[in-house]
Amino acid sequence: MAEAATMDTIVSLCRRRGFVFPSSEIYGGLGSSYDYGHYGVLLKDNVKQRWLAAMVQERDDIVALDSSIILHPQVWEASGHVGGFTDPLVDCRFCKKRFRADHLDDSQCGQRPSKKPGETDDCDLTEARHFNLMFETRVGAMEETGVPVYLRPETAQGIFINFKNVAQIARRKPPFGIAQVGKSFRNEITPGNFIFRTLEFEQMEMEYFVPPGEAEEWYRYWVEERYAWHRRYGIRESHLRIRPHDPDELSHYSSGTSDIEYLFPIGWSELEGVANRGDFDLTAHTNASGTKLEWVEQDGSRYTPHVIEPALGVNRSMLAFLVDAYDEEVVADRDRTVLRLHPQLAPVKAAILPLIAKNDDMTTRARRLYEELRPLVSVEYDDGGQIGRRYRRQDEIGTPYALTIDDQTLEDDTITIRDRDSLAQERISIARAREHLLDRLSAPWVSPKTDS
Ligand code: GAP
């Protein structure tokens, strides 16, 4: 199997098949912003569902939350974001481009892309200045009197400020967690790489509150647990690694962080962060709000829980799954592009294909099967064009199974089920199609791609 997942091939597939479009395209586009088409929405939803299943549904110790995007501005003062959530930036007075001071080695000079900023005689870089990444807006009708607020740059703070509410009603004692999926916003100055880094994105964050003496043990537990989640949904071992942060890399709140990195086409980069946030956040909000965010034991003793936080971007996770799944091969002298996505992540689980669109008996049977399956899983009916072309189209969007209704169906009530990865075709009875498909979709799965 040949693999050729450059960022360009992924961008082009996403556009061609309607996963992701550049945002505001008819107005010339807006940098680092993307819109998600039909298959992109379905894939992104499946990523979120699988995360929520692993974090909430399959566990007894984590509950869900959906907090506001716009919070009281003091939240961001207390959290340290107003003072410290900044990127160091330098401007080039000659080419007028702006660069991250700490990423100059990975950046291209505005005049000569083969050089780094500062490398040509014309480059004239300013000193680094700190630029806050939070988007500011106002609440209230009047621009002059409205209160300045921020769009949240992470979902985590909405969890910390609800600690007391949740702890009181969730009937759980530490260790327990609160999980949240939702949009976050960052005024990223340097252009991203497709959906790797964007102005708005979705995060899946979980804050796990533990007795202080257990923090280190739970930190290690969550690094392993989250690594296993990416592997469970097909990311190849050779493309996934755990990288502990050096002490000088740690965020202001963290006493230990490990990145789970993926080998993206741009090189090894952070996919997910797992941080030991200690008691930084609960203490900061207790001090700033006057409300004690602490745990009170039955004997009256109290402590501020420490927090372990696995934080993953939905869009970045989707990009990793797309890159990892992308494959090209030659089958019967023809090129085939295929997304070998985990069946539970695939936007469409099965295509229902009548072999001959003009045969009413075939289309009637096919539509009946489609109506039977669609309340259960995402399926697509397609009777347009040659069967080979229809298979190829489904391969490109990662549909794991194709159910074909042909001449033999009319004789013996059997259909073929075609496997996207092995291309094996098996005949099964149409009456058992539903059971057969659901069994296959729930079976354990490993990527058939070679692990290199
Ligand atoms: N609450 C901790 C936190 O937000 P982070 O490392 O800044 O930590 C967590 O973000 C994850 O969110 C990252 O690992 C990445 O997957 C995703 N993420 C962060 N900034 C992003 C951006 N601008 N675009 C897309 N995803 C982003």
Side-chain angles (χ1 to χ4, degrees):
M1 284 170 202
E3 156 197 356
T6 65
M7 198 64 103
D8 285 347
T9 53
I10 298 296
V11 172
S12 134
L13 173 74
C14 283
R15 193 193 175 95
R16 192 166 71 245
R17 290 304 181 196
F19 283 82
V20 182
F21 307 112
S23 183
S24 314
E25 207 178 7
I26 61 169
Y27 289 101
L30 177 67
S32 301
S33 295
Y34 291 90
D35 297 339
Y36 290 76
H38 183 66
Y39 296 127
V41 172
L42 297 181
L43 174 55
K44 203 149 58 77
D45 274 353
N46 291 340
V47 171
K48 290 187 268 187
Q49 269 178 31
R50 293 300 90 213
W51 186 88
L52 277 169
M55 286 302 202
V56 180
Q57 189 184 329
E58 294 170 10
R59 302 182 63 105
D60 293 326
D61 55 350
I62 301 180
V63 295
L65 179 78
D66 184 11
S67 68
S68 303
I69 285 173
I70 296 173
L71 301 173
H72 194 291
Q74 279 180 5
V75 169
W76 305 108
E77 298 271 356
S79 68
H81 283 81
V82 170
F85 194 55
T86 56
D87 275 347
L89 299 178
V90 295
D91 291 294
C92 177
R93 296 186 189 92
F94 184 73
C95 73
K96 310 289 180 218
K97 277 195 75 176
R98 185 166 269 187
F99 307 97
R100 279 268 296 265
D102 51 344
H103 288 183
L104 287 180
D105 281 351
D106 311 325
S107 310
Q108 295 175 329
C109 164
Q111 292 295 303
R112 296 192 38 204
S114 61
K115 299 272 183 194
K116 292 170 192 160
E119 277 192 343
T120 79
D121 288 344
D122 288 331
C123 294
D124 185 7
L125 302 184
T126 62
E127 289 294 306
R129 277 176 302 169
H130 285 274
F131 182 88
N132 199 296
L133 293 177
M134 286 196 293
F135 280 107
E136 210 178 310
T137 184
R138 281 176 182 273
V139 171
M142 308 284 286
E143 191 151 308
E144 312 82 59
T145 54
V147 181
V149 290
Y150 304 99
L151 302 186
R152 68 179 175 201
E154 62 170 17
T155 62
Q157 299 303 323
I159 297 179
F160 298 129
I161 60 173
N162 276 292
F163 172 78
K164 198 171 171 196
N165 290 334
V166 177
Q168 275 169 353
I169 57 97
R171 294 193 297 130
R172 283 170 176 84
K173 64 191 289 267
F176 79 93
I178 304 176
Q180 166 153 240
V181 178
K183 279 226 165 168
S184 291
F185 303 81
R186 294 183 191 178
N187 199 352
E188 304 277 6
I189 300 306
T190 46
N193 279 293
F194 191 39
I195 55 172
F196 179 84
R197 190 185 308 285
T198 47
L199 300 181
E200 58 181 275
F201 53 99
E202 285 173 278
Q203 284 188 311
M204 305 182 281
E205 297 197 290
M206 195 278 292
E207 310 302 324
Y208 200 68
F209 301 93
V210 304
E214 297 177 19
E216 185 54 31
E217 175 194 333
W218 283 111
Y219 167 60
R220 277 186 270 113
Y221 167 88
W222 278 110
V223 171
E224 294 303 321
E225 194 70 10
R226 293 304 308 147
Y227 178 89
W229 183 86
H230 297 283
R231 293 278 295 123
R232 173 173 167 187
Y233 289 102
I235 299 285
R236 288 161 299 159
E237 194 175 6
S238 58
H239 284 56
L240 200 63
R241 72 179 186 192
I242 295 168
R243 189 184 67 81
H245 279 203
D246 292 332
D248 62 347
E249 275 183 275
L250 294 174
S251 310
H252 58 279
Y253 51 73
S254 173
S255 59
T257 296
S258 287
D259 285 348
I260 299 175
E261 294 189 332
Y262 179 70
L263 186 52
F264 286 97
I266 51 172
W268 284 104
S269 310
E270 176 184 345
L271 172 59
E272 169 159 13
V274 183
N276 180 349
R277 299 181 73 123
D279 62 359
F280 177 88
D281 303 276
L282 293 185
T283 302
H285 289 303
T286 296
N287 292 341
S289 69
T291 299
K292 283 188 178 150
L293 302 178
E294 56 184 13
W295 181 256
V296 184
E297 294 285 10
Q298 282 194 328
D299 64 6
S301 61
R302 41 186 76 219
Y303 65 87
T304 304
H306 283 210
V307 175
I308 311 303
E309 173 198 70
L312 172 63
V314 177
N315 320 65
R316 200 174 286 185
S317 177
M318 167 174 157
L319 180 60
F321 284 125
L322 283 170
V323 170
D324 214 71
Y326 186 93
D327 212 355
E328 289 174 3
E329 63 180 357
V330 178
V331 178
D333 290 336
R334 290 191 52 191
D335 292 336
R336 176 170 98 113
T337 298
V338 53
L339 283 185
R340 302 186 190 279
L341 288 166
H342 189 296
Q344 289 174 15
L345 294 178
V348 177
K349 309 302 181 203
I352 319 293
L353 312 172
L355 186 64
I356 302 168
K358 291 201 179 101
N359 183 315
D360 287 345
D361 284 345
M362 279 187 206
T363 52
T364 306
R365 296 280 186 113
R367 284 216 79 93
R368 209 183 297 146
L369 181 58
Y370 174 58
E371 295 303 338
E372 181 189 342
L373 296 176
R374 69 193 295 191
L376 305 171
V377 284
S378 156
V379 283
E380 216 168 76
Y381 175 89
D382 185 4
D383 62 10
Q386 284 176 345
I387 191 73
R389 207 170 292 151
R390 282 184 268 163
Y391 283 147
R392 293 281 189 278
R393 197 180 149 271
Q394 295 296 334
D395 289 341
E396 274 207 335
I397 61 166
T399 306
Y401 302 109
L403 307 176
T404 306
I405 289 82
D406 56 14
D407 290 314
Q408 201 177 323
T409 314
L410 307 182
E411 288 165 20
D412 65 4
D413 288 327
T414 62
I415 58 173
T416 61
I417 179 162
R418 171 190 181 266
D419 183 293
R420 172 197 70 199
D421 297 322
S422 66
L423 295 176
Q425 300 209 18
E426 195 187 325
R427 282 210 89 83
I428 58 169
S429 96
I430 199 165
R432 281 206 56 235
R434 161 190 170 146
E435 191 187 338
H436 196 94
L437 179 66
L438 295 180
D439 279 354
R440 286 201 188 203
L441 289 173
S442 56
W445 187 88
V446 230
S447 171
K449 278 181 72 173
T450 45
D451 204 18
S452 58

